[in-house]
Amino acid sequence: MLNSVKSFLKNVPGIGPGLVQLRRGKFKSSDLYWDQRYRAGGDSGAGSYNRLAQFKAKFLNAFVEKNRISSVIEHGCGDGAQLKLARYPSYTGIDISPKAVEICRTLFASDPTKRFFEANLLPAGTRADLAMSLDVIYHLVEDHIFEAYMQKLFASANNFVIVYSSNMVKEWPDKHVRHRRFTDWIARHHPEWSLQSTTPNEFPYDPAHPDNTSFADFYVFAKH
């Protein structure tokens, strides 16, 4: 574990209470930040709880049912809080944090439809009908980590990719947040995938209420 976790800050925009925040200037890397966060008792943030979690679950469960999705793979499963609301026939959860994977394996130990892997231990060729990225992309602050993540996300999808994220270039005060126009990256690197639909957040970001609003929207991509 790093020795750089000094305080627990609340009310971080788009994340919420319970965030384990590294002091500014001491941020090391995305993977270390998140593993440190979970090991220190932090959670996946406000986006995985309460009305934001309900909004996400309503959209995703309806999509899975409507499109007869038989298998789902999520890149960035976090602490499993969002997954509690999901109705997926078969689910594979991946996370860069070994602690997050441990938490999820314990939480869903009695559920044979779910399995979890550390990102670097995912069996080669693992794919699903639907690949998902929820509240992850704007936390990938390093270019090389973003590039590798996006390649793995699309490589793991047979039919659909759903991204729930901001899609803008904008400065942000928190070192673990970097907003990107990820749709531009997809157009350049994976033109075989087209943007099928965009669904705005029911609770758009309000700096006065960061714990139950979000700058993330839903983007659904389908293979040509």
Side-chain angles (χ1 to χ4, degrees):
M1 285 178 65
L2 293 173
N3 295 319
S4 58
V5 176
K6 302 295 185 181
S7 63
F8 292 79
L9 303 183
K10 295 182 179 180
N11 300 322
V12 174
I15 307 298
L19 173 64
V20 181
Q21 170 68 52
L22 299 178
R23 281 191 186 273
R24 293 187 184 182
K26 302 250 180 166
F27 180 89
K28 299 297 183 183
S29 66
S30 298
D31 52 352
L32 291 175
Y33 170 85
W34 284 99
D35 194 50
Q36 188 70 32
R37 173 187 176 115
Y38 291 119
R39 290 185 185 280
D43 58 32
S44 292
S48 296
Y49 294 87
N50 304 316
R51 71 179 189 176
L52 288 172
Q54 294 290 341
F55 163 66
K56 289 156 71 177
K58 179 181 177 181
F59 177 91
L60 293 168
N61 289 337
F63 184 90
V64 166
E65 181 177 2
K66 178 181 178 181
N67 293 279
R68 299 181 180 179
I69 301 297
S70 62
S71 56
V72 174
I73 186 168
E74 182 177 5
H75 294 258
C77 59
D79 62 10
Q82 182 69 53
L83 187 57
K84 290 180 182 179
L85 304 175
R87 298 193 302 270
Y88 308 145
S90 175
Y91 174 88
T92 299
I94 307 161
D95 206 277
I96 58 172
S97 166
K99 183 61 178 179
V101 171
E102 177 189 327
I103 292 169
C104 286
R105 285 176 174 169
T106 300
L107 188 61
F108 298 100
S110 61
D111 187 346
T113 69
K114 296 177 177 61
R115 59 180 187 162
F116 302 91
F117 297 95
E118 294 177 34
N120 61 345
L121 298 178
L122 181 70
T126 301
R127 299 171 68 88
D129 291 345
L130 166 64
M132 303 191 310
S133 171
L134 310 178
D135 282 316
V136 174
I137 288 177
Y138 57 84
H139 288 306
L140 306 177
V141 300
E142 305 93 341
D143 288 338
H144 70 284
I145 290 180
F146 168 76
E147 293 275 345
Y149 176 89
M150 295 296 287
Q151 293 291 1
K152 289 177 182 178
L153 175 67
F154 280 86
S156 68
N158 290 324
N159 302 312
F160 298 100
V161 173
I162 292 181
V163 174
Y164 178 77
S165 177
S166 60
N167 187 42
M168 59 185 176
V169 176
K170 185 175 183 178
E171 293 295 322
W172 209 257
D174 304 295
K175 289 188 177 293
H176 66 289
V177 172
R178 179 179 175 184
H179 296 292
R180 300 173 183 266
R181 284 273 304 175
F182 70 87
T183 53
D184 292 347
W185 184 94
I186 295 168
R188 288 195 307 271
H189 296 276
H190 287 286
E192 72 277 18
W193 290 87
S194 59
L195 181 60
Q196 185 181 67
S197 66
T198 302
T199 301
N201 205 303
E202 286 185 1
F203 311 103
Y205 180 65
D206 180 349
H209 302 283
D211 300 340
N212 35 32
T213 62
S214 175
F215 41 57
D217 300 315
F218 276 112
Y219 298 81
V220 177
F221 297 86
K223 214 168 203 180
H224 291 191

